[in-house]
Amino acid sequence: MRWIKYVFAFCLAGLGLASAMLYYDSYWRWRDCFNEEGRCFDPVSQNVYLEQAGLAWGVLAGLFLATALILLLFRRQ
């Protein structure tokens, strides 16, 4: 039964890494471009990036990675 905990932790770590990649792509690359409304227009790709998307993906990445670390580091006695 212990292996189920490890599989679940590695799945959470994978979700955390995927969320971190989306955080980087939707916020971190464009952090200097946002205007006072929290929007950034990329003229090359014709996309509008929202500052709130970075907050959402960052929180999800942190939660997934923290939960995975808790599952991996703390053993049930």
Side-chain angles (χ1 to χ4, degrees):
M1 288 304 261
R2 193 179 335 176
W3 62 273
I4 293 174
K5 180 177 90 168
Y6 291 120
V7 168
F8 188 61
F10 284 115
C11 288
L12 284 173
L15 285 172
L17 290 176
S19 296
M21 288 174 41
L22 287 168
Y23 170 77
Y24 173 77
D25 190 48
S26 66
Y27 176 75
W28 191 256
R29 286 179 33 193
W30 309 102
R31 66 189 181 278
D32 296 331
C33 175
F34 293 110
N35 60 12
E36 62 276 351
E37 295 175 353
R39 296 183 179 131
C40 174
F41 177 70
D42 181 22
V44 176
S45 66
Q46 301 290 315
N47 285 334
V48 176
Y49 296 99
L50 299 176
E51 199 170 17
Q52 293 87 359
L55 176 66
W57 287 118
V59 167
L60 281 176
L63 287 175
F64 286 142
L65 291 172
T67 306
L69 280 174
I70 288 170
L71 284 175
L72 289 174
L73 293 179
F74 295 114
R75 286 192 254 166
R76 190 171 178 186
Q77 305 278 337

